[in-house]
Amino acid sequence: MKTFAFLLISILIAQFTCAQDASIPKEVENWLAQELKKGNVKELKEFQKDTFFRKDSVKIIGFIKGYDNNGSKNGMIYNENLLTKEDFPTLIRIKSDGRFETKIEINFPIYSYLNLLGQDVKFYAEPGNTVAMIINPKEDKEPVKYLGITKEINDELNSIKTNRPDHETLEGQIKSMKEEEFLKLTKTEWKNEKERVSQLLKKNKTSKKAQTIMLNEVDLNFMYRLFNYNMYKEYYAGQDKENKLLQTPTTAEYFNFIQEIDNNDYTYLINREFTFTINRIEYSPFYPRMKYINGPNLYQKIDSVGFTRYKNKELSLFYSIANLRAISSELSKPIYFSDRTEKNIQDIKLNLKHPFLLSELERKINIVKNSADGYDLPKTQSTEIFKKLLEPYKGKIVVVDFWAENCGPCRANIEATLELRKHLIDHPHLEFVFITDKGNTSDTFYKEYIEKNYMTNSFLVSEDDYLAFRELFRFNAIPRYVIVDPDGIIKDDNFAMHNSQYLLNKYYPEKIKLEDFEINKKDTFDSSVAMKH
């Protein structure tokens, strides 16, 4: 074992030595080498079911050549747990000499990206890895050099580019093609692209693992297009009542394309694009949760459809993940926790056979039980910045709204609550606070908009501070609403603003009454705009 460890370290040092150049300070070279030595987790030789799922951290380190310390001091990884729909955006703090490092937790290998200085950098990682890279923002041909145990597969993945379906042609095809014509055309393009990429991978003698990831990316890109056909068709149908093609509903059979890929193939989870696929599956006829959501025995009915569809004694992995994501969303709101929720949990457990998915469900249940009364923010620099902003409102219930100029749903929500906020301006226990950043909201727009929309408690913070708040409250998408207690406890870090009257009264029955919100019906909040950007 010691011999293997020595050999592994020798390989890592050799890889790093090959990557050295004179433009990297000696102390940075030494730091990278020492950090790579600490990693002792072997890379998976191949993807296998019994070793694929494993919760562990990934350390990401690197150096930015020519870094200007007067610029942005933070980057971001928009990390997530796609099994339970939890966001875990993670700051990458850049040091004055251009070094950076951070840690994320993952449940299986991932092929994702980080954002530094406005540049997206893709990376592949496995649980327990240390991923190292040298970034040269001024280099066009090879802006990123990977180091360490994941160097080979990251180089392979970075050398191949898949062609995404042309989004510009989608609108015209939806408006002019029958369902079966669009399906046939897209499947043909899908097949051709997969053959092209497959031949390229063989020509480059790409490893089996990298081949799997790149071919899965092709599949997921075309799945996304097929899902978009139905979503945009419904949108265009509302605009053009005369187009008979648009007014013809998409058939349930159309969604059989979902089974064009193996719904038990866990390797699809590696690609970030799988998040979009599983999200669209959840809202398709393929997974009928919305059909039964208001009735009894919800998951018994969902599972019955699944068993019929797959003609198997066990639900597919994708179907099981959809179930786990659905119940996780339900558990995300402890205030809604009821006998119905308990029943749903028990029903899901009856057919959730995957041990790792079961462990994630138990973890989520424990989080809910331990945070039902809210939680204290950690003692970090981000918390200090946030608490300083809210200091003037200490002793009050605060609804914090994270928004941006370029976020349509954010602005729709703000404008929809304008009269309500005017009505509540003198409420003795309630304040609304708005936070946006200089990177996504211009100074001129900000000044005019907050005055027009009666946003009396508003803050325009730096991009770095806004990224810190994303990490602090664990959100990748906006709008995001957070409820802060009079004593500074975070009561709800994913507040359902469209149901604000009921929830605020439920949380604080002595301080906030339902009648406090009684104004003209036209001024009440429109839940139809409560969507994510």
Side-chain angles (χ1 to χ4, degrees):
M1 192 68 183
K2 289 183 178 179
T3 303
F4 173 79
F6 176 78
L7 179 62
L8 179 61
I9 291 172
S10 299
I11 292 171
L12 293 176
I13 292 173
Q15 286 182 338
F16 177 73
T17 302
C18 291
Q20 288 177 332
D21 64 56
S23 64
I24 302 175
K26 191 67 178 178
E27 59 271 23
V28 174
E29 287 182 354
N30 293 336
W31 172 71
L32 288 168
Q34 290 300 318
E35 289 299 317
L36 285 171
K37 282 182 185 180
K38 296 175 184 178
N40 59 2
V41 176
K42 292 190 293 183
E43 184 183 4
L44 295 173
K45 291 183 179 180
E46 58 183 341
F47 299 129
Q48 293 183 333
K49 187 176 181 180
D50 58 342
T51 57
F52 186 79
F53 292 93
R54 186 171 71 85
K55 188 181 289 290
D56 203 345
S57 62
V58 169
K59 188 169 187 178
I60 299 172
I61 61 173
F63 173 69
I64 304 172
K65 289 185 178 182
Y67 173 64
D68 181 2
N69 192 39
N70 294 318
S72 176
K73 294 177 173 57
N74 292 325
M76 177 66 77
I77 299 177
Y78 293 95
N79 192 33
E80 63 175 344
N81 183 336
L82 70 83
L83 300 178
T84 54
K85 296 181 76 169
E86 294 172 279
D87 289 342
F88 295 105
T90 305
L91 274 181
I92 305 171
R93 291 178 170 83
I94 309 171
K95 299 180 180 180
S96 59
D97 62 359
R99 285 183 292 169
F100 61 86
E101 62 179 313
T102 194
K103 271 189 178 182
I104 59 174
E105 188 175 71
I106 60 176
N107 294 323
F108 41 76
I110 62 168
Y111 183 41
S112 189
Y113 72 94
L114 56 85
N115 185 279
L116 282 171
L117 308 180
Q119 177 181 351
D120 288 340
V121 180
K122 289 188 172 183
F123 68 91
Y124 170 82
E126 295 172 4
N129 280 167
T130 295
V131 178
M133 58 187 75
I134 296 171
I135 298 175
N136 186 351
K138 297 179 181 179
E139 176 63 54
D140 292 329
K141 291 185 178 180
E142 194 178 5
V144 183
K145 289 184 178 180
Y146 301 96
L147 310 170
I149 199 170
T150 63
K151 171 180 167 53
E152 182 179 345
I153 190 168
N154 271 304
D155 284 343
E156 287 182 313
L157 294 171
N158 206 37
S159 67
I160 303 291
K161 298 291 185 291
T162 62
N163 294 327
R164 294 177 179 272
D166 186 2
H167 186 74
E168 296 298 321
T169 62
L170 184 59
E171 180 178 350
Q173 291 175 353
I174 292 172
K175 292 180 176 180
S176 63
M177 298 177 72
K178 293 180 179 179
E179 173 186 304
E180 57 271 21
E181 293 173 336
F182 178 82
L183 196 59
K184 182 179 180 180
L185 174 65
T186 304
K187 283 186 177 182
T188 300
E189 293 175 348
W190 182 354
K191 180 183 177 182
N192 292 341
E193 174 61 7
K194 198 162 186 178
E195 288 179 354
R196 183 192 73 83
V197 173
S198 183
Q199 291 299 319
L200 193 57
L201 292 168
K202 289 178 181 178
K203 180 181 177 181
N204 292 354
K205 297 181 179 180
T206 307
S207 68
K208 187 176 179 181
K209 285 168 60 178
Q211 285 189 45
T212 297
I213 294 168
M214 296 310 295
L215 291 174
N216 284 354
E217 183 175 296
V218 174
D219 288 343
L220 294 171
N221 283 339
F222 279 89
M223 294 276 284
Y224 186 59
R225 183 175 182 81
L226 289 169
F227 278 120
N228 278 345
Y229 167 85
N230 180 62
M231 184 180 74
Y232 286 110
K233 181 180 178 181
E234 291 177 349
Y235 171 74
Y236 296 137
Q239 294 183 324
D240 185 355
K241 302 293 184 181
E242 302 300 320
N243 188 317
K244 292 182 179 180
L245 287 174
L246 294 178
Q247 297 305 316
T248 304
T250 305
T251 65
E253 287 73 23
Y254 171 84
F255 293 92
N256 287 339
F257 72 80
I258 294 171
Q259 291 179 283
E260 291 284 329
I261 65 174
D262 183 357
N263 284 202
N264 282 307
D265 187 347
Y266 48 87
T267 63
Y268 281 103
L269 277 63
I270 297 170
N271 299 68
R272 187 170 178 84
E273 290 85 357
F274 183 77
T275 298
F276 303 112
T277 298
I278 193 65
N279 177 264
R280 297 299 172 83
I281 287 175
E282 291 172 297
Y283 292 96
S284 73
F286 192 83
Y287 180 75
R289 178 171 177 263
M290 300 310 294
K291 180 179 180 180
Y292 301 119
I293 193 167
N294 294 319
N297 304 317
L298 171 61
Y299 290 98
Q300 289 184 26
K301 293 176 181 177
I302 292 173
D303 289 356
S304 177
V305 172
F307 287 128
T308 302
R309 181 178 297 280
Y310 290 103
K311 299 177 182 178
N312 203 324
K313 293 181 180 180
E314 289 191 10
L315 298 173
S316 75
L317 176 63
F318 291 6
Y319 210 85
S320 296
I321 290 173
N323 269 347
L324 177 56
R325 286 166 61 90
I327 195 66
S328 294
S329 294
E330 195 171 334
L331 288 168
S332 294
K333 294 297 174 190
I335 197 167
Y336 291 132
F337 206 93
S338 63
D339 292 340
R340 175 185 166 90
T341 305
E342 291 280 9
K343 175 69 164 54
N344 286 343
I345 291 171
Q346 296 308 313
D347 284 350
I348 276 187
K349 286 183 176 181
L350 288 174
N351 297 311
L352 190 61
K353 305 299 183 183
H354 196 289
F356 193 86
L357 300 191
L358 275 169
S359 70
E360 283 296 283
L361 175 56
E362 293 297 340
R363 180 188 62 81
K364 186 73 176 179
I365 292 170
N366 288 332
I367 289 175
V368 171
K369 289 180 178 178
N370 294 329
S371 61
D373 296 325
Y375 64 90
D376 282 314
L377 288 172
K379 293 181 179 180
T380 64
Q381 183 180 359
S382 302
T383 295
E384 290 180 11
I385 297 169
F386 181 74
K387 286 188 173 181
K388 187 175 180 181
L389 290 183
L390 264 61
E391 182 66 29
Y393 319 108
K394 194 172 182 179
K396 288 195 173 186
I397 299 156
V398 182
V399 180
V400 182
D401 181 342
F402 290 99
W403 69 286
E405 176 185 350
N406 58 10
C407 168
C410 299
R411 292 166 57 179
N413 291 339
I414 288 169
E415 292 158 19
T417 58
L418 172 59
E419 295 303 322
L420 178 62
R421 286 183 282 106
K422 283 183 178 180
H423 177 73
L424 295 169
I425 190 66
D426 294 320
H427 197 287
H429 304 295
L430 184 64
E431 292 285 354
F432 292 88
V433 172
F434 301 87
I435 301 176
T436 187
D437 72 298
K438 296 177 181 178
N440 292 293
T441 304
S442 66
D443 187 61
T444 302
F445 176 88
Y446 172 77
K447 290 177 180 177
E448 294 176 355
Y449 193 76
I450 64 170
E451 182 178 354
K452 179 181 178 181
N453 289 283
Y454 213 67
M455 300 157 70
T456 52
N457 307 316
S458 291
F459 298 94
L460 181 64
V461 302
S462 68
E463 288 183 75
D464 284 339
D465 285 351
Y466 203 76
L467 289 177
F469 295 153
R470 282 186 182 271
E471 181 182 53
L472 188 62
F473 294 109
R474 302 184 299 279
F475 65 91
N476 288 334
I478 53 175
R480 183 69 162 217
Y481 307 99
V482 175
I483 302 298
V484 185
D485 272 357
D487 56 1
I489 297 293
I490 305 304
K491 188 68 175 179
D492 189 340
D493 60 16
N494 190 11
F495 183 65
M497 190 67 173
H498 63 281
N499 206 11
S500 59
Q501 302 174 25
Y502 167 78
L503 289 177
L504 287 171
N505 172 253
K506 192 81 172 177
Y507 282 143
Y508 311 102
E510 299 300 319
K511 294 185 175 181
I512 299 181
K513 309 294 183 182
L514 287 175
E515 52 265 31
D516 294 346
F517 296 84
E518 289 180 358
I519 54 177
N520 294 334
K521 288 184 178 180
K522 68 177 181 179
D523 297 326
T524 56
F525 186 77
D526 181 2
S527 62
S528 66
V529 297
M531 53 190 292
K532 291 296 182 185
H533 172 64

